[in-house]
Amino acid sequence: MATTDTPSHHWQRLRQQTQELVEDLRAWVELRLTLTQMEIEERIETQIRRLLLRLLIGALAGLAAVFVLVAVALGLGAWLGHTGWGFLVVALGLMAVAAGLHFSRRRSSKAVPTATPAGEPDRAANA
């Protein structure tokens, strides 16, 4: 049984199969892009959930710290004879902590050595 396909028919079949292959490849690439997009969206949603949870925990911890500080101020105020004195002592303590953090940050940023170009002596080490 001999085939009676002409060369033009072969080329037509080859062209059709090539077009189908290109369409399949295009569909595969689109699906791959969609999958990658979905994976990225899932990662972003996970990070947002984690951030919201940390924000909630931080807000609750901050609120608890405020209540503790108010309780300490009221306790000191009762001990010192007037609630205003307790709040003043707590405020001054917080200001001292803030000043200590501020100055320790400034000192630690000065202590960080800067990169020097090759061949030049490190002036910070000599000072």
Side-chain angles (χ1 to χ4, degrees), residues 68-85:
V68 167
L69 289 173
V70 168
V72 168
L74 289 172
L76 282 173
W79 185 58
L80 294 173
H82 193 277
T83 55
W85 289 112

Side-chain angles (χ1 to χ4, degrees), residues 56-110:
L56 178 63
I57 291 170
L60 290 175
L63 191 60
V66 167
F67 279 112
V68 167
L69 289 173
V70 168
V72 168
L74 289 172
L76 282 173
W79 185 58
L80 294 173
H82 193 277
T83 55
W85 289 112
F87 280 98
L88 181 64
V89 169
V90 169
L92 290 175
L94 288 173
M95 288 174 65
V97 169
L101 290 173
H102 175 71
F103 289 118
S104 70
R105 183 182 59 91
R106 288 181 67 196
R107 268 185 264 147
S108 68
S109 67
K110 287 182 181 179

Side-chain angles (χ1 to χ4, degrees), residues 12-76:
Q12 189 178 18
R13 272 187 34 220
L14 183 62
R15 190 177 317 124
Q16 181 184 2
Q17 289 175 351
T18 304
Q19 287 175 348
E20 290 173 0
L21 180 63
V22 168
E23 289 172 9
D24 288 346
L25 185 60
R26 184 176 293 135
W28 180 80
V29 168
E30 288 176 2
L31 286 173
R32 191 73 183 133
L33 287 173
T34 303
L35 177 64
T36 303
Q37 180 182 0
M38 290 174 65
E39 289 174 350
I40 291 171
E41 288 174 358
E42 284 180 15
R43 287 184 199 162
I44 290 171
E45 289 173 0
T46 301
Q47 292 299 326
I48 288 173
R49 273 189 248 115
R50 286 182 183 169
L51 178 66
L52 289 175
L53 181 63
R54 288 181 181 169
L55 237 57
L56 178 63
I57 291 170
L60 290 175
L63 191 60
V66 167
F67 279 112
V68 167
L69 289 173
V70 168
V72 168
L74 289 172
L76 282 173

